[in-house]
Amino acid sequence: MNTIRRRPRPTWTHAAALVIAAFVAAPLDWMFAGSVKSRTEIAADPPTPWPRDLTWENYEEAFGRYHFGTYMANSVIVSVIATVMVLALATFARSVPSSR
């Protein structure tokens, strides 16, 4: 019985993956940190990477005053309908026999 031995991956690939993950995560981290800052702290010079005091006012305003939940629900509905339509068409295309 043949067994395939896999070589361990070099350490540099793990280091490269961590660097890429940091580049991807940094903007997301910055956006979240900005979303829980107060207006004065957002406008502060120099900017701070983390808020001194967490505030959820921005979320309360987005969902209460600007009806962000409605917009998010509309986006989910459109995405689900589009996904179902694409899957239905792809299933139909797969079931049609080819002419070859």
Side-chain angles (χ1 to χ4, degrees):
M1 186 168 186
N2 293 337
T3 58
I4 298 174
R5 296 183 117 190
R6 292 187 179 193
R7 293 185 302 168
R9 289 195 171 119
T11 305
W12 66 268
T13 57
H14 296 289
L18 286 174
V19 168
I20 291 170
F23 274 107
V24 170
L28 297 174
D29 179 43
W30 188 262
M31 281 192 308
F32 176 74
S35 73
V36 292
K37 288 181 182 180
S38 65
R39 290 179 190 251
T40 56
E41 197 171 357
I42 289 173
D45 187 33
T48 57
W50 286 101
R52 290 186 190 102
D53 297 319
L54 291 176
T55 178
W56 299 101
E57 293 172 357
N58 298 329
Y59 288 101
E60 291 172 5
E61 188 174 354
F63 282 95
R65 182 174 175 190
Y66 296 112
H67 308 291
F68 184 73
T70 303
Y71 303 137
M72 189 175 245
N74 290 341
S75 296
V76 168
I77 291 168
V78 169
S79 299
V80 167
I81 290 172
T83 302
V84 168
M85 288 173 61
V86 166
L87 288 174
L89 290 172
T91 303
F92 176 71
R94 177 81 174 148
S95 66
V96 174
S98 65
S99 62
R100 294 183 187 179

